């Protein structure tokens, strides 16, 4: 029998065991995170290319004017710091009545693999001293997270997807700043929205039960001497808490807190455009795709809309080639490549001619010695987006940018991917949710079947938190 949740102390604050997931580029901002903290939970400001504002309170468009990628990257870092500071300050103002009483908390979320991550994190924390309680960080192995958090006197919340990953982080770095470990976030790699931490040994088509994985994480934490007061945050696939009743007061798991990434998208304070909210209300089971088109190289989960289906179709229009006639590759490719000399199999030659006849007249090389066939318009968009790169990731497969002295991955830019900065900025600021990447967790289809959302009802954050506390 589930009778609701009790508050606990996490990161030195009294909070409900309810954490708002910090969602990417402007999908979680001050309005939602401030309201979440005001309701007594942990509100999480996304500090990934966050919006900043002019003197009249209007969002400042992130326009890149520099001529070189390196200089555009500097513009990106400047935008990132200014936006992160602005969002935290506004979130704190909203939640201040409770925060000053020691109730609720404001965290920030950063991606370790975002471009300039450490510089942006330093800049935001320096500019928001006394306002931020903790830093949630994933998308990679953030070894320096504990060191940076301790420097500013804030807690850190590493996002991991296996006990093995936490063990590596603890032994290399986190044990040296154990007192600042606020919680460990277990993000289920099959259920969570956005980028997921699937390893090469795990099958994306074979989801695993999170319980034994979280039990293994707690056992590892105990083995390493991590305090029992440090909770595990379960992230991914959480819709209503009565479905997780056996996780509460469970001595095997210890203290567990729950993170909600998808449900806060559909609140009145959520900053995502109304069209995106409407799309969420009408999803069916299976409409979320776990895919690997992201330029980060990570798997990620998003709505399988025309934008993603076009990427799927693009990869299907793909053939292997050789620069010399060898083996089965004996047939000179005569479409899509101009005067360049490529040899393919007979079957692939026929397929290429068919695609060419259907309007996919341009063959673009990939880093894997294959060719993908696209329209002229698609080719032009891909090339422009690659040329406009501002280094939003530490390592980008789409543009071949890498945050090093050479600013190059050393590999060919991959036309099968996309500019993630461009599409996430667009959808967050009014772009068509059918023609952009629309991140969502695999439980998002439940909006359409949950009676609470019938007739298009969209709750306030306060209403959602109160409902979650009761288990619904």
């Amino acid at each position: 029998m589930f009778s609701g949740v009790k508050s606990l102390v996490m990161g030195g604050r009294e909070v409900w065991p309810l954490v708002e997931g910090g969602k990417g580029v402007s999908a979680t901002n001050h309005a939602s995170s401030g309201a979440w903290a005001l309701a007594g939970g942990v509100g999480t400001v996304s500090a990934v290319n966050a919006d900043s504002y002019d003197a009249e309170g209007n969002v400042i468009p992130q326009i890149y004017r520099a001529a070189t990628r390196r200089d555009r990257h500097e513009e990106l870092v400047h935008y990132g710091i200014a936006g992160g500071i602005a969002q935290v300050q506004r979130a704190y103002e909203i939640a201040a009545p409770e925060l000053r009483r020691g109730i609720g908390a404001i965290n920030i979320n950063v991606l370790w693999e975002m471009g300039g991550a450490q510089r942006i994190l330093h800049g935001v924390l320096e500019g928001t001293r006394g306002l931020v309680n903790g830093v949630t960080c994933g998308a990679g192995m953030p070894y320096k997270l504990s060191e940076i958090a301790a420097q500013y006197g804030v807690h850190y919340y590493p996002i991991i997807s296996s006990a093995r990953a936490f063990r590596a982080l603890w032994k290399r770095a986190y044990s040296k700043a154990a007192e600042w470990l606020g919680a460990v976030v277990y993000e289920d790699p099959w259920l969570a929205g956005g980028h997921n931490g699937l390893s090469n040994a795990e099958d994306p088509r074979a989801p695993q039960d999170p319980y034994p994985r979280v039990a293994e994480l707690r056992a590892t934490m105990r083995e390493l001497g991590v305090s029992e007061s440090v909770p595990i945050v379960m992230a991914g696939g959480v819709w209503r808490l009565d479905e997780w009743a056996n996780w509460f007061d469970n001595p095997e798991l210890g203290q567990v807190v729950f993170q909600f990434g998808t449900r806060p998208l559909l609140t009145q304070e959520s900053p995502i455009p109304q069209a995106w909210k409407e799309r969420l209300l009408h999803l069916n089971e299976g409409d979320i795709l776990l895919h690997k088109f992201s330029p980060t190289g990570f798997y990620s989960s998003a709505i399988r809309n025309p934008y993603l289906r076009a990427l799927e179709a693009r990869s299907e229009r793909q053939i292997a080639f050789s620069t010399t006639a060898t083996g089965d590759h004996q047939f000179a490719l005569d479409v899509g490549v101009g005067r360049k000399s490529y040899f393919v199999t007979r079957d692939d030659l026929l397929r290429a001619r068919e695609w060419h006849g259907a309007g996919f007249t341009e063959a673009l090389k990939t880093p894997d010695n294959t060719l993908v066939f696209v329209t002229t318009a698609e080719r032009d968009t891909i090339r422009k987006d690659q040329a406009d790169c501002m280094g939003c990731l530490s390592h980008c497969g789409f543009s071949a940018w890498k945050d090093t002295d050479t600013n190059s991955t050393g590999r060919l830019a991959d036309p099968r991917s996309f500019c993630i900065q461009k599409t996430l900025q667009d959808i967050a600021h009014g772009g068509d949710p059918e023609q952009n990447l629309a991140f969502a967790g695999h439980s998002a289809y439940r909006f359409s079947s949950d009676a609470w959302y019938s007739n298009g009802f969209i709750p306030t954050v306060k209403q959602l938190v109160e409902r979650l506390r009761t288990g619904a």
Side-chain angles (χ1 to χ4, degrees):
M1 182 69 181
F2 184 81
S3 58
V5 299
K6 303 173 184 177
S7 64
L8 77 158
V9 175
M10 184 170 68
R13 310 283 303 180
E14 182 183 351
V15 297
W16 296 115
L18 308 173
V19 178
E20 177 194 28
K23 295 169 288 297
V25 175
S26 301
T28 303
N29 73 353
H30 67 277
S32 58
S33 56
W36 198 277
L38 183 63
V42 179
T44 308
V45 170
S46 172
V48 182
N49 303 118
D51 286 335
S52 52
Y53 305 91
D54 62 21
E56 286 73 43
N58 301 309
V59 172
I60 298 173
Q62 294 191 15
I63 299 171
Y64 296 86
R65 296 180 171 84
T68 68
R69 288 186 179 187
R70 169 48 64 182
D71 288 341
R72 289 195 295 272
H73 180 72
E74 292 303 312
E75 291 179 293
L76 176 124
V77 171
H78 172 77
Y79 281 131
I81 294 172
I85 292 173
Q87 294 300 329
V88 168
Q89 290 173 337
R90 288 179 172 226
Y92 191 90
E93 289 174 3
I94 292 170
E98 291 296 274
L99 294 176
R100 289 173 182 151
R101 297 174 56 226
I103 298 173
I106 296 291
N107 284 2
I108 62 173
N109 171 257
V110 295
L111 305 178
W112 199 247
E113 294 297 335
M114 73 182 190
Q118 294 185 51
R119 292 172 61 195
I120 291 171
L121 183 54
H122 275 290
V124 173
L125 292 178
E126 180 63 40
T128 58
R129 287 183 180 270
L131 306 183
V132 172
N133 180 255
V135 180
T136 307
C137 184
M141 292 292 281
Y143 290 110
K144 293 187 178 181
L145 174 62
S146 58
E147 175 187 332
I148 296 172
Q151 181 178 335
Y152 294 93
V154 302
H155 293 84
Y156 61 100
Y157 297 76
I159 301 174
I160 53 90
S161 295
S162 69
R164 180 180 179 183
F166 179 75
R167 180 186 297 275
L169 290 165
W170 180 265
K171 287 193 170 183
R172 179 166 170 177
Y174 292 178
S175 61
K176 301 172 186 176
E179 69 275 22
W180 294 107
L181 179 61
V184 180
V185 183
Y186 169 78
E187 185 177 74
D188 190 87
W190 293 276
L191 295 173
H195 291 102
N196 302 339
L198 275 170
S199 72
N200 292 331
E202 293 165 334
D203 186 346
R205 297 161 297 183
Q208 296 180 19
D209 181 358
Y211 184 97
R213 293 170 68 92
V214 172
E216 181 186 6
L217 172 59
R218 177 60 75 183
T220 299
M221 291 168 66
R222 286 169 174 154
E223 175 195 335
L224 296 171
V226 179
S227 171
E228 287 288 331
S229 66
V230 175
I232 293 174
V233 180
M234 173 62 206
V238 184
W239 188 263
R240 45 188 297 163
L241 293 186
D242 58 355
E243 298 169 344
W244 301 77
N246 66 317
W247 286 52
F248 288 90
D249 300 318
N250 185 320
E252 184 177 27
L253 300 181
Q255 189 75 257
V256 178
V257 171
F258 292 86
Q259 179 170 300
F260 296 84
T262 297
R263 290 192 75 170
L265 284 170
L266 208 54
T267 63
Q268 293 182 27
E269 293 88 346
S270 169
I272 68 172
Q274 185 62 31
W276 190 355
K277 293 181 180 180
E278 291 291 333
R279 185 71 176 91
L280 290 169
L281 282 168
H282 299 96
L283 293 172
N284 296 312
E285 189 169 2
D287 280 352
I288 305 300
L289 177 68
L290 180 61
H291 66 89
K292 208 174 184 182
F293 296 115
S294 171
T296 63
F298 293 113
Y299 280 95
S300 63
S301 297
I303 297 173
R304 191 170 181 262
N305 58 11
Y307 183 84
L308 268 189
R309 288 199 294 270
L311 288 169
E312 291 180 280
R314 184 186 302 171
S315 280
E316 289 170 0
R317 294 190 303 272
Q318 182 173 189
I319 58 175
F321 70 88
S322 173
T323 54
T324 60
T326 180
D328 294 336
H329 293 69
Q330 296 290 334
F331 297 84
L333 184 61
D334 56 6
V335 292
V337 293
R339 296 183 179 181
K340 296 178 182 177
S341 181
Y342 298 109
F343 294 87
V344 299
T345 67
R346 175 178 171 78
D347 287 347
D348 284 345
L349 175 61
L350 296 177
R351 289 201 297 160
R353 288 173 175 172
E354 182 179 348
W355 295 330
H356 189 273
F360 302 100
T361 58
E362 309 298 324
L364 303 179
K365 287 177 64 177
T366 80
D368 300 318
N369 288 328
T370 62
L371 297 166
V372 292
F373 282 75
V374 300
T375 65
T376 301
E378 286 176 319
R379 178 203 62 190
D380 293 346
T381 297
I382 290 168
R383 288 181 173 171
K384 184 179 188 307
D385 289 347
Q386 290 172 336
D388 289 344
C389 174
M390 74 295 290
C392 74
L393 300 172
S394 66
H395 183 118
C396 177
F398 176 68
S399 67
W401 160 277
K402 191 171 184 179
D403 197 0
T404 60
D405 291 341
T406 64
N407 295 140
S408 172
T409 62
R411 287 170 57 83
L412 192 67
D414 196 337
R416 296 167 295 187
S417 189
F418 55 91
C419 177
I420 195 165
Q421 168 80 193
K422 173 185 174 182
T423 185
L424 293 182
Q425 285 284 1
D426 190 41
I427 192 171
H429 296 97
D432 187 349
E434 295 299 292
Q435 299 301 327
N436 281 291
L437 185 70
F439 281 139
H442 287 260
S443 294
Y445 72 92
R446 297 183 64 172
F447 283 123
S448 63
S449 59
D450 191 321
W452 199 45
Y453 297 95
S454 61
N455 300 315
F457 172 69
I458 297 179
T460 64
V461 165
K462 181 179 179 180
Q463 288 173 319
L464 175 58
V465 169
E466 290 178 349
R467 188 171 182 84
L468 294 175
R469 283 173 50 197
T470 67

